[in-house]
């Protein structure tokens, strides 16, 4: 019966097949979609990848995977109407009543699983509460997901919820630094089964009973009724034939919930009863918006002075130092300016702990144990120090050479001449561009969301799936960025005008 299900992706009767373009995000990794080498051949694997091939065969099309960020898949699907870059979104898309009009019947039933270190004292959901010393447990969860909303509804006052961009980030943080960065995490059952029950993270274990059943669906455009109905039929056929079971067993995903999927597909869809999740509104996020605003301000006001201080020292070293000093400083500036801020923060937060373990360096271990906030400050300061050094170097070099010679002739030492004569004039010249960099730093704090810091942009991404709320939140955040940046713009403009008059 299944022999004709998977149709070769090539040519049918001399005509090229229509594409079945399915959107997903490989960054999410196994067991959904991932690249691997099988029998010496690199290929795309994952239970959703195999399902996509099956659906394409049923539709007599050729499957084509289209990469997109997971949390933007619904927007990518709906963005261009019939001219969209994808035909469906299928990558752990969670069922909600808002998506019922665009979604198929479910192809997977999942639950939420609590994951901790093997040496953790956390044994059940009731243990997610402040420790005896009052410290709240840090619990990781994939941002803007059903699991994230569930934790917010049931545990927000008891724990510190740490939203992550990827599942494996939480697993890595729990294993690093003896779990000091994250005490537990809540993940969908496919990830828990594949990574934890599958032994891929031996220091972690699944505890407590499953919570909050939900469904993965395929998202189509709302007016694409024919495609949606064909996919519904294909899902039911795969369930009845045992194909779903064979695929899910291959990835260690078959459990009692999947055994109940047959009955779910025979019942009216969507179900009337579902896990109650509070509807988020802009008002309900007021405290989080203020907290994210404070985080943005704190990161900027702490990082910028450090960047300026480092920039001045680097500029002085490059202008007045010997070649032994100038060369490494020049390399530092070019490396920092030549690599993305995102990569630099990633290396400090994620790579450094692994390096510390490999080298058993106490200094690196202490650095690796820094909280995310301090890593954000350090990362921003290091990145901006390279740019500030170039600004100050240009300012120093713009001062006539005779100024230094005159200072030395008056009996000042070289260091005194730099501090009392050269730097005051150079700083006066570079205040406007430095102020502009300060404005840019407010916006660049958004990069810190990748290390689980919830600043303004990070808060937006945590609530992006609710389109109405996302639009409202985007407007509020844009206004707040303007409120932070515009006064500094006025300051920079005023300083430029004063400097122009002084030099006239």
């Amino acid at each position: 019966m299944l022999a004709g299900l998977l149709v070769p992706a090539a040519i049918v009767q001399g005509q090229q097949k229509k594409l079945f373009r399915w959107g997903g995000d490989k960054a999410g990794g196994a067991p959904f979609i991932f690249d691997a080498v099988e029998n010496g051949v690199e290929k795309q694997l994952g239970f959703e990848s195999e399902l996509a091939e099956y659906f394409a065969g049923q539709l007599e099309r050729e499957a084509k995977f289209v990469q997109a960020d997971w949390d933007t898949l619904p927007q990518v699907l709906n963005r261009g109407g019939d001219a969209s870059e994808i035909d469906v979104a299928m990558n752990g898309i969670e069922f909600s009543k808002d998506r019922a009009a665009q979604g198929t019947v479910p192809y997977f039933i999942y639950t939420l699983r609590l994951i901790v270190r093997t040496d953790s004292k956390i044994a059940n959901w009731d243990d997610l509460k402040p420790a005896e010393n009052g410290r709240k447990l840090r619990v990781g969860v994939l941002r803007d997901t059903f699991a994230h909303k569930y934790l917010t509804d049931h545990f927000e006052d008891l724990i510190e919820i740490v939203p992550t961009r990827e599942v494996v980030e939480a697993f890595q943080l729990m294993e690093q630094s003896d779990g000091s960065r994250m005490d537990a995490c809540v993940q969908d059952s496919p990830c828990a089964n594949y990574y934890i029950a599958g032994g891929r993270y031996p220091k972690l274990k699944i505890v407590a009973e499953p919570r909050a059943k939900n469904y993965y669906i395929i998202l189509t455009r709302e007016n694409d009724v024919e495609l949606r109905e064909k996919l519904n039929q294909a899902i039911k056929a795969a369930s009845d034939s045992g194909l779903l079971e064979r695929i899910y067993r291959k990835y260690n995903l078959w459990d009692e919930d999947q055994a109940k999927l047959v009955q779910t597909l025979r019942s009216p869809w969507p179900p009337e009863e579902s896990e109650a999740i509070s509807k988020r509104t802009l008002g309900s996020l007021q405290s989080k918006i203020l907290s994210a605003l404070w985080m943005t301000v704190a990161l900027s006001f702490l990082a910028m002075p450090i960047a300026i201080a480092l920039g001045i020292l680097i500029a002085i070293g490059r202008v007045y130092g010997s070649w032994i000093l100038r060369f490494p400083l020049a390399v530092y500036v070019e490396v920092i300016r030549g690599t993305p801020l995102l990569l630099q923060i990633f290396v400090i937060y994620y790579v450094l702990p692994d390096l510390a373990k490999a080298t058993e360096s106490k200094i690196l271990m202490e650095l690796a144990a820094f909280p995310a906030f301090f890593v954000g400050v350090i990362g921003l300061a290091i990145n901006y120090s390279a740019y500030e050094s170039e600004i100050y170097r240009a300012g120093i070099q713009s001062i006539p050479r005779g100024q230094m010679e005159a200072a030395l002739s008056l009996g000042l030492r070289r260091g005194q001449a730099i501090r009392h004569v050269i730097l005051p004039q150079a700083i006066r010249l570079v205040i406007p561009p430095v102020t502009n960099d300060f404005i840019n730093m407010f916006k660049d704090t958004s990069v810190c969301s990748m290390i689980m810091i919830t600043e303004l942009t990070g808060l937006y991404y945590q609530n992006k799936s609710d389109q109405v709320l996302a639009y409202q939140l985007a407007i509020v955040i844009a206004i707040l960025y303007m409120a932070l940046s515009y006064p500094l713009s006025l300051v920079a403009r005023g300083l430029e005008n004063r400097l122009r008059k002084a030099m006239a």
Side-chain angles (χ1 to χ4, degrees):
M1 177 180 177
L2 295 175
L5 291 180
L6 299 176
V7 182
I11 304 297
V12 176
Q13 296 180 351
Q15 296 183 350
Q16 187 173 359
K17 283 188 174 185
K18 184 179 179 180
L19 294 176
F20 175 65
R21 301 167 304 171
W22 62 287
D25 186 0
K26 286 185 181 179
F32 300 91
I33 316 161
F34 61 100
D35 291 326
V37 177
E38 192 175 75
N39 298 325
V41 179
E42 185 173 337
K43 58 188 301 186
Q44 183 174 281
L45 299 176
F47 78 95
E48 288 183 332
S49 183
E50 295 195 23
L51 285 176
E53 291 291 341
Y54 161 71
F55 293 138
Q58 291 293 87
L59 296 168
E60 297 185 351
R61 297 188 187 184
E62 180 181 350
K64 180 182 179 182
F65 172 75
V66 180
Q67 171 66 32
D69 288 340
W70 182 81
D71 47 10
T72 65
L73 283 170
Q75 287 77 17
V76 172
L77 176 66
N78 295 316
R79 178 176 175 272
D82 292 337
S84 172
E85 297 176 356
I86 59 176
D87 300 306
V88 301
M90 187 179 71
N91 188 200
I93 303 296
E94 301 169 320
F95 167 76
S96 66
K97 291 185 177 180
D98 294 339
R99 292 172 172 171
Q102 289 186 252
T104 64
V105 296
Y107 61 88
F108 195 92
I109 301 176
Y110 72 95
T111 53
L112 304 183
R113 305 308 309 268
L114 179 60
I115 300 168
V116 300
R117 287 175 58 90
T118 53
D119 56 1
S120 174
K121 296 181 180 179
I122 300 172
N124 54 63
W125 296 91
D126 292 335
D127 291 335
L128 297 183
K129 57 185 178 182
E132 293 181 358
N133 60 5
R135 183 183 76 88
K136 288 186 175 182
L137 299 179
R138 291 172 55 82
V139 182
V141 67
L142 194 64
R143 71 185 186 188
D144 197 23
T145 59
F146 179 76
H148 189 180
K149 299 177 182 72
Y150 181 86
L151 280 185
T152 301
D153 271 5
H154 294 82
F155 296 96
E156 184 174 31
D157 295 333
L158 300 174
I159 62 174
E160 180 183 350
I161 300 174
V162 185
T164 67
R165 296 182 64 181
E166 307 296 344
V167 171
V168 294
E169 288 178 9
F171 297 155
Q172 291 171 353
L173 289 174
M174 289 172 68
E175 284 202 330
Q176 290 172 352
S177 305
D178 297 325
S180 60
R181 283 181 165 176
M182 191 173 290
D183 299 285
C185 71
V186 174
Q187 304 292 349
D188 292 0
S189 51
C191 298
N193 290 339
Y194 184 84
Y195 286 108
I196 310 305
R200 291 170 174 82
Y201 285 87
K203 293 183 179 180
L204 307 182
K205 64 180 179 179
I206 304 172
V207 297
E209 76 286 354
R211 287 272 183 101
K213 180 178 70 174
N214 202 4
Y215 310 88
Y216 291 151
I217 60 174
I218 303 172
L219 213 58
T220 67
R221 290 184 291 276
E222 189 170 352
N223 63 351
D224 211 340
V225 179
E226 182 180 358
L227 174 61
R228 192 158 56 247
E229 184 55 36
K230 287 182 178 179
L231 289 172
N232 286 341
Q233 294 173 5
I235 293 171
K236 293 175 181 178
S239 177
D240 292 338
S241 67
L243 178 62
L244 288 185
E245 180 177 352
R246 285 195 291 279
I247 292 176
Y248 295 164
R249 286 192 182 279
K250 178 178 178 180
Y251 295 95
N252 193 34
L253 301 179
W254 186 259
D255 54 24
E256 60 181 17
D257 288 320
Q258 308 321 310
K260 298 175 183 177
L261 185 59
V262 174
Q263 185 60 39
T264 301
L265 294 174
R266 291 174 181 171
S267 303
W269 182 263
E272 293 183 1
E273 73 286 346
S274 60
E275 179 69 28
I277 296 294
S278 300
K279 186 71 174 177
R280 293 165 298 170
T281 64
L282 200 59
S284 67
L285 294 177
Q286 181 177 352
S287 61
K288 293 184 178 180
I289 293 172
L290 293 176
S291 176
L293 174 62
W294 167 248
M295 183 62 68
T296 299
V297 172
L299 285 169
S300 301
F301 275 85
L302 287 175
M304 196 63 188
I306 299 174
I308 290 174
L310 288 175
I312 291 174
L313 293 176
I314 294 169
I316 292 174
R318 292 192 66 186
V319 174
Y320 297 110
S322 66
W323 70 269
I324 297 177
L325 181 60
R326 291 199 305 269
F327 178 75
L329 290 177
V331 171
Y332 170 87
V333 170
E334 294 307 319
V335 169
I336 297 299
R337 291 201 306 168
T339 54
L341 171 60
L342 182 69
L343 178 62
Q344 294 164 13
I345 292 181
F346 180 88
V347 168
I348 296 172
Y349 195 71
Y350 291 104
V351 178
L352 195 59
D354 293 332
L355 184 61
K357 286 183 179 180
T359 59
E360 297 183 354
S361 168
K362 292 184 178 180
I363 296 177
L364 289 180
M365 286 181 180
E366 291 181 2
L367 292 174
F370 277 5
F373 176 78
F374 290 104
V375 172
V377 171
I378 293 169
L380 288 168
I382 290 174
N383 181 268
Y384 270 76
S385 69
Y387 295 94
E388 298 311 298
S389 72
E390 289 298 277
I391 292 174
Y392 280 99
R393 187 165 71 95
I396 291 172
Q397 290 178 332
S398 69
I399 306 300
R401 186 173 298 178
Q403 297 274 349
M404 174 63 78
E405 295 172 353
L408 295 176
S409 68
L410 292 173
L412 294 178
R413 293 191 296 273
R414 194 177 184 83
Q416 292 176 320
I418 294 172
R419 186 169 72 249
H420 297 295
V421 178
I422 304 300
L423 271 184
Q425 297 181 76
I427 290 174
R428 184 181 179 188
L429 292 174
V430 303
I431 284 177
V434 169
T435 306
N436 288 330
D437 273 358
F438 199 2
I439 294 171
N440 288 332
M441 183 176 281
F442 280 124
K443 291 167 282 189
D444 278 350
T445 57
S446 61
V447 175
C448 294
S449 63
M450 73 158 296
I451 57 172
M452 288 145 292
I453 294 176
T454 303
E455 40 63 65
L456 288 172
T457 302
L459 181 64
Y460 169 77
Y461 275 105
Q462 291 174 24
N463 297 275
K464 196 168 180 288
S465 63
D466 187 329
Q467 291 191 1
V468 175
L469 178 60
Y471 291 143
Q472 296 172 346
L473 197 55
I475 293 172
V476 170
I477 289 174
I479 292 172
L480 290 175
Y481 274 126
M482 284 292 297
L484 292 173
S485 302
Y486 189 63
L488 286 175
S489 298
L490 294 179
V491 170
R493 202 172 303 159
L495 290 172
E496 289 174 0
N497 292 334
R498 180 178 297 182
L499 179 61
R500 192 180 301 112
K501 291 178 182 179
M503 296 180 64

